[in-house]
Amino acid sequence: MGHDTIDAELASCDALSLCATQAGAQAFGRLLKLAEERDSGQIPRIARFLAATYNGHAFQLDLFELRAVDIAISNDMLSCLDALRWGRADLHTLIPDGDARVRAVIDRWGLRWPEGD
């Protein structure tokens, strides 16, 4: 594999990573807003998803949650997962006041941190 081929592959991966991160940040913002402002049967699932993306060790993600929400919401969740796959940034850091807002959602929806966290 030549240097030009390697450089082209790196540039392609970088572009994919950037696009996924941008889409994931927008999706995360939409999900966070729902968890902050709405109160329906789907919102606790969104809150658990946001908590898992914030701290996957403390809040485990049940992938079947993707099947229990509307298509638009699950699409946003998948966009977030794609952004996390690329690992450019923690999604909450891309949202204004993201850390405090996610922690408030965790509290609002009664999610419990494991002992010692």
Side-chain angles (χ1 to χ4, degrees):
M1 187 179 277
H3 290 295
D4 290 341
T5 304
I6 292 170
D7 290 344
E9 183 68 23
L10 288 173
S12 175
C13 286
D14 191 51
L16 289 170
S17 172
L18 180 60
C19 287
T21 302
Q22 290 171 333
Q26 292 170 352
F28 190 86
R30 288 188 294 271
L31 293 171
L32 185 56
K33 186 173 180 178
L34 287 173
E36 291 171 326
E37 298 177 358
R38 295 274 185 87
D39 186 7
S40 74
Q42 298 183 91
I43 305 304
R45 288 182 166 88
I46 294 170
R48 288 190 296 270
F49 177 83
L50 293 170
T53 63
Y54 180 73
N55 185 327
H57 176 71
F59 303 101
Q60 300 295 306
L61 174 63
D62 179 357
L63 293 176
F64 281 92
E65 297 283 6
L66 292 168
R67 298 173 69 181
V69 294
D70 291 343
I71 292 170
I73 291 170
S74 64
N75 284 343
D76 277 348
M77 289 176 171
L78 290 172
S79 290
C80 291
L81 293 175
D82 192 35
L84 292 173
R85 170 178 73 123
W86 287 99
R88 277 183 98 104
D90 291 329
L91 292 173
H92 71 276
T93 66
L94 303 175
I95 304 297
D97 299 319
D99 187 72
R101 291 172 66 193
V102 172
R103 286 181 170 274
V105 163
I106 289 168
D107 290 342
R108 176 179 184 211
W109 290 101
L111 303 176
R112 300 287 175 239
W113 292 88
E115 294 295 319
D117 278 349

